[in-house]
Amino acid sequence: MSVRALGVLCALVISALLAGCAGSPGAQAPPSTSAAQQAFVARVDAVCQQALDSHRGHAFPVPGFDPNNPGRQQLPAVGRYLSRYGHLAQTVTALRSLRPPADEASGWHHFLALANLALANSRRQIAAADSRDVPGFVATVRVVDHLAPRLNAAGAAFGFRSGSSCEQVFG
């Protein structure tokens, strides 16, 4: 499964939660940000990297899966996979524990509010997958489509860039 397809599925779980988050090599925070902001972005990226690392080696169980047109019989395997390897709840909890520089708290809290919406959506998605609820599952994909641009904008406003570990996990 490609990183993008995994991102869509994690977005199904994670709803593109951190899509412009933190800087991986080659995607550092903009030079105009403060040293404190850059250090914070690095801490966020470390959380995202942990989620990436814990996911590696776990192949997606449904080759060719189309989240916009899933087969009813495919959904339980998808739900189990997302429950086991999505790690959204742990990642969001870890992100909530981080404290941004004081002058960046408002932007970070806005980002976390969107992350909380994404977490709620991911829980609905797993429940829909587990119960083979195709319309419910597809509805969560639509929520992803709605939340992803908002998360990208919130991340960019906070100083995060695309191409990061967080984007790979959640985007």
Side-chain angles (χ1 to χ4, degrees), residues 33-46:
T33 60
S34 69
Q37 176 74 358
Q38 290 177 4
F40 182 74
V41 167
R43 289 196 320 267
V44 172
D45 191 49

Side-chain angles (χ1 to χ4, degrees), residues 1 44 48 54 57-58 64 78-79 88 116 118 125 158 160 162:
M1 165 167 267
V44 172
C48 295
S54 66
H58 302 287
V78 170
L88 176 63
N116 288 329
Q125 185 168 60
F158 196 74
F160 298 137
S162 64

Side-chain angles (χ1 to χ4, degrees), residues 125-142:
Q125 185 168 60
I126 291 169
D130 289 345
S131 65
R132 299 177 188 206
D133 176 4
V134 172
F137 187 87
V138 172
T140 64
V141 174
R142 291 188 183 119

